[in-house]
């Protein structure tokens, strides 16, 4: 079967694209390699999605999934290996299957860089977070920790300082890799304390399986300070960058130096019939609301492209 649209990724962008495509009476196959909902599925609470006062990320993702399935969207789990075009048809190969489509929407998102220390994966959503905007408000009035030294990290620290009692920032190097204005703003905040020259080595949970203790060690011998230390905080925000995974699509799209697919608000790429939506493309704001916006735009563009093909 040749689908009208094959969507790679079932996060907020991909599932919104699927919904809009089905509303336009197009056949849709959506492929997901990990979990439906993408990054938002790991958030314990979502309070910045229009019309919904409060919802867990998992519940929001489940609602989206149930909605697209009710509209007739087909789905499969699998890791996409390649996408190729022959004539007017695209072939999307996964690690276990192969699908053909008249168009393709790439909505595979990005992954937050993880520290790689012990227990990190088990503590995601239980004290370890990667989005201060999403999860920071739940620690109002408390002391929290943050790891990072670039723009996103400093923006997160400033955001957290607005409602947290104190924000402890830890950097590996003895310098920032951020804009001067952000550094100046950070240094003016009395409730932000910065500790430079240390690397996280371990995360320890309490009896309830929630984050309790962070362990650090000196990154370089020439740095001043103790060799290692431990601190207790209820939350750790990790802001050490994001990782797009788009090399497998480089035969069809333009990829910038950071690994993102080059596309503007039209969500179109250099290859006719290939569209992109969500965090995987070049953009300044990566939030669930902007992802759903991209999904709607990409699907509408794909539907118009198909209609032109069918004339």
């Amino acid at each position: 079967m040749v689908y009208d649209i094959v969507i790679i990724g079932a996060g907020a962008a991909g599932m919104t694209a699927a919904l809009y495509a089905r509303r336009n009476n197009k056949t849709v196959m959506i492929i997901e390699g990990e979990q439906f909902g993408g990054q938002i599925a790991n958030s314990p609470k979502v309070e910045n999605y229009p019309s919904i006062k409060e919802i867990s990320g998992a519940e929001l993702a489940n609602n989206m999934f149930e909605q697209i399935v009710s509209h007739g969207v087909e789905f499969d789990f699998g890791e996409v290996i390649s996408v190729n075009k022959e004539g007017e048809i695209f072939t999307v190969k996964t690690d276990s299957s192969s699908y053909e489509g008249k168009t393709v929407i790439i909505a595979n998102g990005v992954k937050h860089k993880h520290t790689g220390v012990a227990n990190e994966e088990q503590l995601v959503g239980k004290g370890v977070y990667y989005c201060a905007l999403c999860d920071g408000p739940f620690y109002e009035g408390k002391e929290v920790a943050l790891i990072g030294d670039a723009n996103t990290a400093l923006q997160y620290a400033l955001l957290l300082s607005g409602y947290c009692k104190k924000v402890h920032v830890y950097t590996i190097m003895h310098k920032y890799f951020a804009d001067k204005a952000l550094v100046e703003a950070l240094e003016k905040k009395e409730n932000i304390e910065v500790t430079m020259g240390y690397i996280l080595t371990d995360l320890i949970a309490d009896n309830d399986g929630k984050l309790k203790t962070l362990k650090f060690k000196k990154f370089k011998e020439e740095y001043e300070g103790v060799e290692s230390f431990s601190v207790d905080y209820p939350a750790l925000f990790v802001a050490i960058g994001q990782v797009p995974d788009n090399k497998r699509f480089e035969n069809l799209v333009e990829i910038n130096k950071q690994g993102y697919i080059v596309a503007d608000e039209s969500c179109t790429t250099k290859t006719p019939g290939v569209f992109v939506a969500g965090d995987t493309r070049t953009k300044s704001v990566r939030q669930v609301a902007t992802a759903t916006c991209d999904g709607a735009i990409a699907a509408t563009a794909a539907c118009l492209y198909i209609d032109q093909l069918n004339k």
Side-chain angles (χ1 to χ4, degrees), residues 7-294:
I7 301 172
I8 302 169
M15 288 197 283
T16 302
L19 175 63
Y20 272 68
R22 285 299 299 143
R23 294 281 291 174
N24 279 276
N25 201 33
K26 300 296 188 284
T27 57
V28 180
M29 167 59 71
I30 189 167
I31 305 168
E32 172 57 44
E34 295 183 1
Q35 63 179 352
F36 282 88
Q39 294 182 46
I40 197 65
N42 293 321
S43 181
K45 290 183 182 180
V46 177
E47 294 181 320
N48 60 351
Y49 194 76
S51 82
I52 300 176
K53 185 176 181 181
E54 180 182 303
I55 191 172
S56 72
E59 186 178 2
L60 179 61
N62 186 62
N63 289 348
M64 288 182 175
F65 178 67
E66 289 183 352
Q67 184 179 27
I68 64 172
V69 170
S70 72
H71 280 272
V73 173
E74 297 182 45
F75 65 92
D76 190 19
F77 283 100
E79 185 69 23
V80 172
I81 305 301
S82 65
V83 181
N84 292 288
K85 185 177 185 181
E86 185 172 344
E88 297 297 335
I89 301 299
F90 295 91
T91 299
V92 180
K93 292 184 178 180
T94 73
D95 50 6
S96 59
S97 303
S98 181
Y99 297 97
E100 294 184 331
K102 297 176 184 178
T103 62
V104 171
I105 297 176
I106 302 172
N108 58 318
V110 294
K111 298 179 180 179
H112 290 288
K113 284 185 180 179
H114 289 202
T115 66
V117 304
N119 293 327
E120 180 177 8
E121 303 305 318
Q122 291 83 353
L123 288 169
V124 172
K126 299 178 181 179
V128 174
Y129 306 99
Y130 304 90
C131 178
L133 184 61
C134 306
D135 304 302
F138 307 120
Y139 292 90
E140 183 177 358
K142 298 181 179 180
E143 293 192 28
V144 301
L146 182 144
I147 295 175
D149 53 26
N151 283 342
T152 297
L154 270 60
Q155 289 169 345
Y156 277 6
L158 291 167
L159 177 69
L160 290 167
S161 71
Y163 36 76
C164 292
K165 180 180 179 181
K166 196 166 188 177
V167 182
H168 299 267
V169 178
Y170 296 90
T171 70
I172 293 178
M173 305 298 290
H174 264 274
K175 62 179 179 179
Y176 298 109
F177 296 87
D179 294 340
K180 183 179 180 181
L182 286 173
V183 174
E184 291 177 347
L186 187 83
E187 292 175 342
K188 292 178 181 178
K189 285 286 185 175
E190 294 183 357
N191 66 332
I192 295 179
E193 180 178 311
V194 181
T195 302
M196 291 186 162
Y198 286 90
I199 187 170
L200 182 71
T201 59
D202 199 7
L203 296 168
I204 299 174
D206 61 18
N207 293 332
D208 294 324
K210 296 180 180 180
L211 177 66
K212 179 183 179 183
T213 303
L214 291 72
K215 290 187 175 182
F216 291 88
K217 72 175 182 180
K218 190 189 299 184
F219 181 59
K220 290 185 177 181
E221 291 184 2
E222 59 264 33
Y223 287 168
E224 295 182 1
V226 298
E227 288 299 319
S228 62
F229 62 90
S230 298
V231 287
D232 288 351
Y233 301 118
L236 168 66
F237 293 89
V238 180
I240 56 176
Q242 295 176 317
V243 184
D245 182 19
N246 293 318
K247 187 173 179 58
R248 53 195 156 158
F249 309 126
E250 64 182 357
N251 59 316
L252 296 172
V253 300
E254 181 183 352
I255 299 173
N256 70 8
K257 292 181 180 180
Q258 290 73 43
Y260 294 99
I261 296 173
V262 176
D264 60 16
E265 301 303 315
S266 70
C267 295
T268 58
T269 72
K270 70 176 186 179
T271 300
V274 177
F275 306 88
V276 60
D279 291 357
T280 195
R281 78 169 178 89
T282 49
K283 59 192 303 183
S284 58
V285 179
R286 292 184 169 86
Q287 290 289 305
V288 63
T290 64
T292 57
C293 178
D294 278 3

